[in-house]
Amino acid sequence: MDNEISTQPHGMEDVEIQEWLESLDSVLESSGPEVAAEILERLRAHATVNGIDLPFSANTPYANTIPVRLQPLFPGDQELERRIKSLIRWNALAMVVRANRVEHNIGGHISTYASAATLYEVGFNHFFRARSDEFEGDTVYFQGHASPGMYARAFLEGRLSGQKLENFRRELKPGGGLSSYPHPWLMPDFWEFPTVSMGLSPLTAIYQARFNRYLEDRGMKPATDAKVWAFLGDGETDEPESLGAITLASREKLDNLIFVVNCNLQRLDGPVRGNGQIIQELESAFRGARWNVIKVLWGSEWDPIFERDTEGLLVKRMGELVDGEYQKLVVSSGAYVREHFFGSDPRLLQLVEPLPDEALRRLRLGGHDPRKVYAAYKAAVDHKGSPTVILARTIKGYGLGEAGEGKNVTHQQKKLNEDELREFRSRFGIPLNDVDCVEVPFYRPAEDSVEIQYLRARREALGGYVPKRSVRSKPLVADHDDLFKEFHEGSDGREVSTTMAFVGMLRKMLKDTEIGKLIVPIVPDEARTFGMESLFRTVGIYSSVGQRYEPVDVNTLLYYKEAKDGQILEEGITEAGSMASCIAAGTAYATHGINTIPFFIYYSMFGFQRIADFIWAAADMRMRGFLLGGTSGRTTLAGEGLQHQDGNSHVLALPVPNVKAYDPAFAYEIAVIIQDGIRRMYKDGESVLYYITVMNEPYAMPPMPGDVKDGILRGMYRFRPAANGKAKLRAQLFGSGAILNEVLRAQEILESKYGVAADVWSVTSYKELYNDGIESERWNRLHPGEKARAPYVTICLADAPGVLVAASDYLKTLPNMISKWMPRRLASLGTDGFGRSEGRASLREFFEVDSRFITLATLHELFVDGKVERSVLDKAIKDLGINTDKPNPVTS
Ligand SMILES: Cc1ncc(C[n+]2csc(CCOP(=O)(O)OP(=O)(O)O)c2C)c(N)n1
Ligand SMILES: [Mg+2]
């Protein structure tokens, strides 16, 4: 850890240092901070030129960034705000304690909000502007574990009833309750952003701030001074996502973005950096990334002590302690602080000589002092040219005293004994007597009390309540039939991949009068892979500064065109960042009242497998839009090996309840799915999002065989019936994606060589079929007296004769999970296993999903049913050239 003030240089006299400091002071006074900074910069350059090797440090001293003389006046009624804050503290604590009295171990957190109360209250009373018709409002990401504080405030505001608070974490109780953390899925009128999976919110907030600029630069919303605030824990910053995109924020000069890191120096188990200083570490990371860093370390009580310290000894001493020592100091007696902190130097002791021990104990930290926090927030909102991070020092479990203040166990403290409750009540002046207080009742002063009046007036001045979520966009109106019709026709024998077909649709959508502007194509450095480079030129790549260079390929048709009003978000190699952009675009219908429609296309293996938690959060957030898993299919993506070839994503899409997952084979299927998706999400306002896999294997796209739209959307339809419906040997074959072609080839082999007449079904979505099946089962179970419902699969196959065989480029579990609703036993082929770096044909042989293995599986099923002789099987194995001793793909 770099520490700001180095130890005394050899032989240098104090007096000499003093002279330098004094001359700097006089420059500061006479010419101001800019000139002083210029002098220091020149001195540094001069020193470097003269061979002085100055160590690099992005750190400033362990002191407040904003000096007292630049601190603005606090504009509020500090005493009243303190009283309101105390009531919120009490109710937040009561919520958790009561919930755990009713149901042991229901959980909840007291100490996170206890440490952050001032950070939030200054925001609520003076900064966070609500969304209204006139102003888009600020966007606030609340630290998930601090949610009891947000509920407690909403209770005082009259937005949440006592009954709701009573049912914190017991949402299923009569009258409803409150969700543990911010979940828009569960509280869609309240929360906007789920933040509790740590690290997601800082990254999402950065891309949100960037997306706000994108909308402005594209003329889709007016430029405003709205801010994005993200409140994080200091422990949370260890998640790689937290700091992973901070250079994007500074590169894009996102001065509409403010991070507030609640530096209570503790995480769940213990100190964040017991042996170091998390604040200094974060400062250097953020300053190194060119953020505006504001440290709020010491409260106003320290100001006069600093003033007396003309030699800079106090700041030096502050920089010497590691966080483990600080954690101990803040919960120790005044005498201990005097001895162990100030006692290191008699001159320091002298500084605090006039102060009694009790005053030493009450020296507040910056994050608990509204005046310091206000100054930091004001500086942050006024700052221009870069994002700001506020590093605010606090105490975890502030105010809990013996019940947990600053203790390593505090994160999980959920129960207080009677003495501890009385102590807390007294400390924060809650008007409850000794008897009542141990019942931990919720407390709300009368509507006409000064507290409630003040709180309401402040929120009114800031435009209304926060957090609050509402859908502000108007539904789309057109049906877009004309847009998608051409893709129903097929490719006239021309071989194209479904990716190319999708890109064709995208190109057309971009030109559409209603939705063209709303489309947001998002790619993580993969546009060429998907054949999207033609879009570079036509709609441009978004760049907040336009294009400051002549692209090397400017003379080509498809040059790399960056533009301020560019429409494509080319995010570079960050699936997480791209997903965050997708979330911003896919929730703009609520955040901004704009129906932007994201199409995020990526290597399918790096989606659900890599950034599933972001997708889960997006689903919670009611994100709308399309995720396109490109180059998908374990055997369809040739040559790339096991870290690329995706046979997993459709299985990993299963758990996300509102993701509609499709594995289409043909262009018209994609057209039907996308058109219907736009209808459901943007006309009917459904909270669903789409996952569609597209492939890069070229083949002729057939025309749509009649009106199969309903089947495509519900998950399956008969694509090609058997030529000879009267044959004795019958089969039903199921295929998806590119593997459908293998199934179609098997259909031909079976018919021509083995006299088996097979119907071929395109299964577009096993997930849809599965959900329909379990819903039918459930309904029947709950309504035993009524006419039983049949799953769609059962209805489709009611009169379908013969054996059943499915082949997929994904795990066999997909077809297996719907087999119980089929009329007979199902044989499933799929791509379980690591696979190999190989070409398509070899991979399909290796995984046993090619037309030959589908043929064999069908014959084998007929053999098991006693419909064909063993000799037919033996001959088929020979004729098809199948090696029966080949390695098992699942385990090899
Ligand atoms: C991805 C993830 N991992 C682990 C957790 C469990 N967890 C919840 S709170 C917490 C500690 C939080 O510490 P910090 O970020 O410093 O916040 P504080 O409560 O101290 O303000 C942990 C580990 C989580 N919520 N998300
Ligand atoms: Mg912490």
Side-chain angles (χ1 to χ4, degrees):
M1 169 67 44
D2 291 339
N3 257 329
E4 56 298 329
I5 292 187
S6 57
T7 47
Q8 195 108 321
H10 314 288
M12 197 167 188
E13 295 297 328
D14 279 357
V15 59
E16 209 169 327
I17 294 179
Q18 202 55 38
E19 274 172 18
W20 278 84
L21 292 177
E22 277 165 17
S23 41
L24 189 69
D25 282 348
S26 88
V27 172
L28 248 182
E29 209 160 291
S30 58
S31 313
E34 275 166 29
V35 176
E38 168 77 18
I39 290 173
L40 288 172
E41 203 48 54
R42 297 269 285 273
L43 266 179
R44 171 175 271 277
H46 192 72
T48 308
V49 168
N50 285 289
I52 300 172
D53 185 15
L54 288 172
F56 169 77
S57 168
N59 276 126
T60 63
Y62 202 82
N64 290 345
T65 306
I66 300 173
V68 185
R69 62 187 171 78
L70 295 181
Q71 205 173 294
L73 275 182
F74 187 79
D77 181 329
Q78 220 182 307
E79 172 50 24
L80 205 44
E81 288 189 22
R82 191 189 62 76
R83 278 187 359 232
I84 293 167
K85 183 168 62 189
S86 296
L87 294 175
I88 297 174
R89 286 180 185 284
W90 172 262
N91 288 313
L93 171 136
M95 204 181 314
V96 178
V97 173
R98 290 179 74 87
N100 284 276
R101 280 187 183 175
V102 179
E103 191 164 335
H104 178 62
N105 270 342
I106 195 80
H109 300 83
I110 299 171
S111 62
T112 299
Y113 179 72
S115 71
T118 302
L119 301 178
Y120 285 113
E121 277 305 291
V122 172
F124 279 121
N125 284 321
H126 302 285
F127 291 93
F128 305 156
R129 292 162 299 177
R131 305 192 194 287
S132 67
D133 291 340
E134 293 75 45
F135 178 63
E136 64 178 296
D138 295 321
T139 297
V140 188
Y141 293 76
F142 297 94
Q143 209 183 335
H145 297 82
S147 56
M150 310 312 131
Y151 292 141
R153 173 167 248 275
F155 169 66
L156 287 197
E157 290 167 345
R159 297 202 291 149
L160 291 177
S161 65
Q163 162 94 49
K164 288 265 187 197
L165 263 62
E166 183 70 15
N167 288 336
F168 173 57
R169 290 188 168 227
R170 297 184 307 139
E171 295 185 271
L172 301 176
K173 292 292 162 291
L178 298 172
S179 69
S180 52
Y181 302 116
H183 293 303
W185 185 262
L186 304 173
M187 294 176 65
D189 303 327
F190 194 84
W191 294 116
E192 292 183 290
F193 308 102
T195 49
V196 83
S197 174
M198 312 194 105
L200 301 195
S201 88
L203 189 111
T204 315
I206 289 174
Y207 282 86
Q208 178 72 59
R210 201 293 216 85
F211 188 73
N212 294 358
R213 289 281 162 78
Y214 167 91
L215 289 176
E216 288 167 9
D217 287 339
R218 288 193 52 216
M220 297 177 75
K221 78 170 186 70
T224 70
D225 69 348
K227 305 287 179 198
V228 175
W229 296 78
F231 286 79
L232 333 176
D234 48 359
E236 181 173 12
T237 61
D238 278 338
E239 290 287 359
E241 292 90 348
S242 298
L243 305 191
I246 60 173
T247 52
L248 169 89
S250 44
R251 191 163 65 246
E252 292 292 311
K253 302 190 170 42
L254 298 179
D255 52 20
N256 56 344
L257 175 66
I258 301 164
F259 274 12
V260 180
V261 187
N262 175 16
C263 296
N264 53 29
L265 314 187
Q266 288 179 243
R267 42 178 164 72
L268 193 153
D269 284 342
V272 180
R273 295 285 183 276
N275 295 307
Q277 295 174 321
I278 184 63
I279 290 176
Q280 296 300 87
E281 186 177 325
L282 290 174
E283 176 185 41
S284 68
F286 279 99
R287 273 170 64 95
R290 302 199 166 276
W291 282 51
N292 174 39
V293 178
I294 302 176
K295 292 195 288 194
V296 186
L297 308 186
W298 310 109
S300 303
E301 294 79 5
W302 288 89
D303 291 340
I305 313 178
F306 276 113
E307 206 163 309
R308 287 199 288 277
D309 175 34
T310 50
E311 296 171 87
L313 293 171
L314 186 54
V315 164
K316 181 169 173 294
R317 174 73 181 133
M318 284 167 161
E320 285 168 359
L321 266 60
V322 293
D323 289 354
E325 291 172 296
Y326 270 128
Q327 189 187 347
K328 175 120 196 251
L329 274 180
V330 294
V331 295
S332 299
S333 69
Y336 184 94
V337 174
R338 193 185 305 276
E339 184 187 342
H340 290 89
F341 180 73
F342 294 99
S344 67
D345 185 322
R347 291 171 297 178
L348 282 175
L349 275 177
Q350 219 174 353
L351 288 178
V352 290
E353 214 188 348
L355 297 177
D357 285 353
E358 184 52 21
L360 285 191
R361 203 179 64 81
R362 288 180 174 277
L363 291 172
R364 261 182 313 177
L365 294 180
H368 295 302
D369 183 342
R371 279 176 289 179
K372 300 290 182 196
V373 173
Y374 178 84
Y377 287 6
K378 180 84 174 67
V381 298
D382 291 345
H383 178 76
K384 295 272 176 291
S386 60
T388 293
V389 60
I390 292 163
L391 304 171
R393 249 200 86 180
T394 63
I395 298 172
K396 190 146 179 168
Y398 185 72
L400 289 182
E402 278 309 303
E405 184 167 273
K407 295 192 172 160
N408 281 332
V409 295
T410 192
H411 188 80
Q412 279 154 315
Q413 176 61 288
K414 305 176 202 316
K415 292 181 178 163
L416 276 75
N417 65 30
E418 295 190 356
D419 286 345
E420 289 162 346
L421 283 169
R422 288 192 192 105
E423 179 75 30
F424 190 89
R425 180 266 335 250
S426 304
R427 172 153 183 190
F428 293 108
I430 311 299
L432 290 171
N433 65 36
D434 277 2
V435 180
D436 291 347
C437 118
V438 295
E439 296 301 322
V440 241
F442 297 124
Y443 182 82
R444 186 173 188 266
E447 191 59 39
D448 59 359
S449 63
V450 280
E451 288 89 348
I452 299 296
Q453 292 299 313
Y454 182 90
L455 173 129
R456 282 195 189 282
R458 287 313 307 148
R459 286 316 313 165
E460 226 161 87
L462 291 161
Y465 295 110
V466 171
K468 184 169 182 286
R469 181 184 179 278
S470 64
V471 174
R472 303 193 297 147
S473 66
K474 302 266 173 305
L476 295 183
V477 289
D479 59 21
H480 309 112
D481 277 346
D482 289 345
L483 204 163
F484 291 99
K485 214 164 59 201
E486 84 171 68
F487 301 98
H488 299 174
E489 313 295 328
S491 63
D492 235 356
R494 204 164 53 91
E495 298 204 328
V496 294
S497 66
T498 49
T499 307
M500 285 164 76
F502 160 71
V503 174
M505 282 172 227
L506 185 61
R507 204 176 293 125
K508 211 158 166 217
M509 283 188 273
L510 284 162
K511 291 193 189 126
D512 184 81
T513 46
E514 188 184 41
I515 59 172
K517 261 191 96 150
L518 300 172
I519 304 288
V520 183
I522 303 167
V523 278
D525 197 30
E526 218 65 75
R528 291 181 200 282
T529 312
F530 305 126
M532 290 170 67
E533 59 270 47
S534 66
L535 298 179
F536 289 170
R537 171 80 183 272
T538 48
V539 295
I541 295 164
Y542 171 68
S543 154
S544 57
V545 294
Q547 194 155 33
R548 288 172 166 170
Y549 60 96
E550 184 178 279
V552 65
D553 52 359
V554 72
N555 294 325
T556 66
L557 200 60
L558 308 176
Y559 75 92
Y560 196 83
K561 181 181 152 198
E562 298 194 62
K564 190 155 173 138
D565 61 353
Q567 197 159 349
I568 300 172
L569 287 172
E570 161 64 272
E571 301 294 18
I573 311 168
T574 165
E575 282 74 15
S578 304
M579 187 64 211
S581 275
C582 187
I583 288 171
T587 51
Y589 70 91
T591 318
H592 297 290
I594 302 172
N595 277 318
T596 36
I597 309 174
F599 283 87
F600 170 27
I601 183 161
Y602 53 88
Y603 243 106
S604 73
M605 195 63 156
F606 305 134
F608 279 91
Q609 180 134 319
R610 186 169 180 126
I611 51 161
D613 205 19
F614 278 100
I615 299 174
W616 182 260
D620 183 348
M621 235 179 286
R622 298 165 180 265
M623 188 204 107
R624 298 173 184 167
F626 296 90
L627 309 178
L628 279 301
T631 55
S632 74
R634 181 106 69 209
T635 67
T636 301
L637 174 59
E640 290 284 298
L642 59 80
Q643 236 167 32
H644 286 75
Q645 292 163 180
D646 169 34
N648 308 346
S649 64
H650 277 290
V651 177
L652 300 176
L654 291 174
V656 191
N658 50 347
V659 162
K660 304 193 87 58
Y662 286 94
D663 183 12
F666 301 128
Y668 66 81
E669 294 179 350
I670 301 176
V672 167
I673 295 162
I674 292 182
Q675 184 182 355
D676 194 60
I678 291 174
R679 176 189 65 77
R680 290 180 72 155
M681 295 185 285
Y682 295 95
K683 281 177 81 172
D684 298 351
E686 281 189 53
S687 291
V688 292
L689 65 154
Y690 281 72
Y691 177 56
I692 305 172
T693 40
V694 289
M695 287 126 338
N696 61 357
E697 181 175 354
Y699 44 85
M701 292 293 152
M704 185 153 72
D707 190 6
V708 292
K709 285 184 187 167
D710 187 53
I712 293 172
L713 297 172
R714 294 181 77 175
M716 71 188 282
Y717 65 96
R718 198 187 329 247
F719 172 72
R720 195 163 80 190
N724 174 15
K726 299 217 163 63
K728 221 167 81 221
L729 298 177
R730 293 301 314 262
Q732 305 296 319
L733 307 182
F734 310 97
S736 317
I739 296 298
L740 184 56
N741 286 314
E742 297 290 342
V743 175
L744 289 166
R745 274 192 284 277
Q747 182 190 36
E748 285 161 21
I749 300 171
L750 282 163
E751 184 168 329
S752 61
K753 297 238 168 79
Y754 302 96
V756 180
D759 294 340
V760 171
W761 298 76
S762 174
V763 181
T764 48
S765 176
Y766 281 109
K767 184 173 181 186
E768 286 295 302
L769 297 175
Y770 176 71
N771 282 342
D772 171 76
I774 55 174
E775 169 51 14
S776 302
E777 277 186 351
R778 173 180 174 274
W779 196 89
N780 294 341
R781 191 160 51 239
L782 296 176
H783 305 88
E786 297 183 44
K787 185 167 179 282
R789 285 185 187 172
Y792 178 65
V793 180
T794 310
I795 296 168
C796 284
L797 300 178
D799 301 318
V803 296
L804 310 176
V805 176
S808 153
D809 224 358
Y810 292 83
L811 304 189
K812 298 178 191 78
T813 193
L814 286 178
N816 284 345
M817 72 187 182
I818 61 160
S819 65
K820 66 169 164 168
W821 301 300
M822 292 183 166
R824 291 172 295 283
R825 185 183 72 244
L826 174 73
S828 296
L829 305 180
T831 58
D832 307 52
F834 278 130
R836 294 290 186 277
S837 312
E838 257 297 355
R840 276 182 199 124
S842 302
L843 282 170
R844 287 179 185 165
E845 175 175 21
F846 176 80
F847 280 109
E848 302 160 16
V849 292
D850 65 12
S851 56
R852 298 169 311 140
F853 280 92
I854 298 166
T855 303
L856 177 62
T858 310
L859 294 174
H860 183 258
E861 290 303 300
L862 288 165
F863 165 70
V864 173
D865 281 358
K867 298 273 167 65
V868 298
E869 296 293 322
R870 163 77 196 282
S871 58
V872 176
L873 273 189
D874 291 343
K875 185 165 178 327
I877 287 173
K878 194 153 158 272
D879 291 350
L880 295 167
I882 286 172
N883 171 9
T884 53
D885 294 323
K886 69 185 281 298
N888 178 358
V890 182
T891 52
S892 70

